[in-house]
Amino acid sequence: ITSQTCAIVLLLHFGHTLASNGDRTQFFHNCRQNCERTNCSAGLEIQEQAINFYGQTVFDRIFGWSCSDECTYGCMWRTVFAFMERGWPIPQFYGKWPFLRLLGMQEPASVIFSVMNFIMHLRLLRKFRRQVRPDSPCYKLAHIFGLTCLNGWVWSSIFHTRDFPLTELLDYAFAYSIVLCSLYCMIMRMLHRYSLFLRGVITLAFISYYINYFAYLSVGKFNYSFNMKVNIATGTLAALGWFIWCHRVRLRRPYFRRILRFYVLFAMAMSLELLDFPPILWILDAHSLWHLATVPLVSLYYDFMIEDCKTLRLEKMTADGYGYFD
């Protein structure tokens, strides 16, 4: 009996309890160990056997697909096909669905949609700079938000291209920076007429909190559940603050509908994250679709900031504007 046949037999003994955990099956382990022993025993560099067998492209080499990575990727698909032949649910590997690699990218759809988000923020930030004068209230606040988002989408693109512990940490940490920045911008918008000292103290408090949270994520085992709860709680506070503001100014600031519409649609788009299904065509999963859904929503936020900054500047130039606290 060949080693491949033995591996398939061992796979059958795992049953349905582990069918969603492909990397825990004996079939996957045996496949990977045999591949590494045959192709990767000569050293750490990518072996010619693996390059020839898997047909590595120049992009695969640029993004650092090692011999061991090639074995893991190849055995992942052998395990997937073994499951499908038996009518079992498609398994996940190391907490992720199997994705078809494209141009060296592990999750090509998420990479493409992350880049689209980056481009959208860049274009809209330039639009903001063209239409809003630098002496407008909250002008710098819009730049803080825009630059934070640009940084976050850069690391999202990098992480979905190649999943390493460092890229994972930076993706999650900077993704949270966007959520935290939205809360910060909401608070600073409400307090923009207050003293520079008060706003400076609040700013230092946010920076200190984020540094400590980044340190927490960096030490020990990453707690996905806790990080998700923190993101949801922070985002909810930001949305709640804007909803209260919208209610207060609904009669004198008709453009409030833009920020309200943004958060309502954003919450609806976020429901995609609650879905969990195998990738369509091995490329599109719920997470990548969530990234796609955020692309057109960004314009609502920037349009609101443009109109708000223009209005605040106009109010600043007139005596009537000083009577508002919103």
Side-chain angles (χ1 to χ4, degrees):
I1 302 177
T2 66
S3 59
Q4 181 178 353
T5 303
C6 289
I8 294 177
V9 172
L10 288 171
L11 172 63
L12 292 171
H13 287 286
F14 270 76
H16 291 273
T17 58
L18 297 180
S20 61
N21 298 305
D23 58 286
R24 296 175 62 184
T25 63
Q26 194 65 39
F27 177 79
F28 176 80
H29 278 291
N30 287 353
C31 175
R32 189 178 61 181
Q33 289 175 3
N34 290 336
C35 176
E36 292 179 352
R37 182 170 57 251
T38 302
N39 300 314
C40 309
S41 59
L44 297 178
E45 297 183 358
I46 299 176
Q47 305 301 305
E48 289 300 324
Q49 298 98 319
I51 294 175
N52 295 331
F53 182 78
Y54 290 109
Q56 275 201 338
T57 66
V58 64
F59 297 101
D60 299 328
R61 303 187 192 188
I62 290 175
F63 292 132
W65 284 85
S66 67
C67 182
S68 177
D69 293 332
E70 291 289 1
C71 287
T72 300
Y73 180 76
C75 291
M76 175 188 74
W77 287 113
R78 292 181 65 184
T79 305
V80 168
F81 294 147
F83 272 65
M84 293 176 64
E85 288 174 358
R86 288 158 183 78
W88 295 353
I90 296 173
Q92 291 187 337
F93 296 83
Y94 305 105
K96 291 187 175 184
W97 293 108
F99 290 96
L100 187 65
R101 188 171 71 194
L102 178 64
L103 301 178
M105 298 180 290
Q106 281 183 262
E107 301 176 48
S110 290
V111 174
I112 294 171
F113 299 150
S114 295
V115 171
M116 289 172 61
N117 274 281
F118 177 90
I119 294 174
M120 182 64 73
H121 275 278
L122 185 61
R123 293 181 60 184
L124 290 171
L125 186 58
R126 289 175 175 174
K127 175 183 176 182
F128 177 88
R129 293 172 62 88
R130 288 194 305 269
Q131 298 189 16
V132 178
R133 292 179 54 132
D135 60 344
S136 301
C138 299
Y139 180 84
K140 294 181 180 179
L141 200 61
H143 284 72
I144 292 174
F145 174 78
L147 294 175
T148 301
C149 291
L150 289 174
N151 178 68
W153 287 114
V154 165
W155 289 105
S156 174
S157 303
I158 294 174
F159 168 66
H160 289 300
T161 297
R162 287 294 277 126
D163 180 359
F164 296 118
L166 178 60
T167 59
E168 179 184 49
L169 168 65
L170 296 177
D171 173 57
Y172 280 95
F174 289 127
Y176 180 62
S177 73
I178 297 177
V179 181
L180 185 64
C181 186
S182 67
L183 175 62
Y184 171 78
C185 290
M186 183 274 295
I187 294 176
M188 289 296 103
R189 168 60 182 82
M190 306 309 160
L191 302 179
H192 77 280
R193 299 187 190 277
Y194 277 66
S195 69
L196 181 62
F197 175 78
L198 174 62
R199 287 179 286 145
V201 169
I202 295 175
T203 299
L204 290 176
F206 267 85
I207 294 174
S208 177
Y209 165 74
Y210 179 72
I211 291 175
N212 279 276
Y213 189 74
F214 190 100
Y216 165 77
L217 295 179
S218 305
V219 178
K221 186 177 180 180
F222 189 87
N223 191 326
Y224 296 93
S225 176
F226 177 75
N227 180 66
M228 180 61 69
K229 292 177 182 178
V230 171
N231 273 269
I232 293 175
T234 304
T236 300
L237 286 175
L240 182 61
W242 280 118
F243 289 161
I244 294 174
W245 180 86
C246 289
H247 177 73
R248 291 182 57 190
V249 304
R250 66 188 184 281
L251 297 179
R252 63 177 180 270
R253 297 193 188 277
Y255 60 88
F256 80 91
R257 293 182 179 85
R258 295 176 183 175
I259 192 68
L260 181 64
R261 192 179 299 121
F262 169 79
Y263 274 100
V264 170
L265 294 177
F266 190 86
M268 294 174 62
M270 197 173 181
S271 63
L272 286 168
E273 286 284 67
L274 302 177
L275 303 177
D276 194 26
F277 53 83
I280 302 171
L281 301 177
W282 305 114
I283 293 179
L284 289 170
D285 69 327
H287 184 71
S288 65
L289 292 176
W290 146 247
H291 282 337
L292 176 63
T294 59
V295 175
L297 300 183
V298 180
S299 61
L300 291 172
Y301 198 99
Y302 281 89
D303 286 345
F304 166 80
M305 290 193 295
I306 290 172
E307 190 66 27
D308 192 46
C309 285
K310 287 181 177 180
T311 303
L312 291 177
R313 184 178 183 279
L314 181 61
E315 291 177 351
K316 185 180 179 180
M317 302 299 293
T318 61
D320 293 339
Y322 292 100
Y324 292 133
F325 169 60
D326 54 22

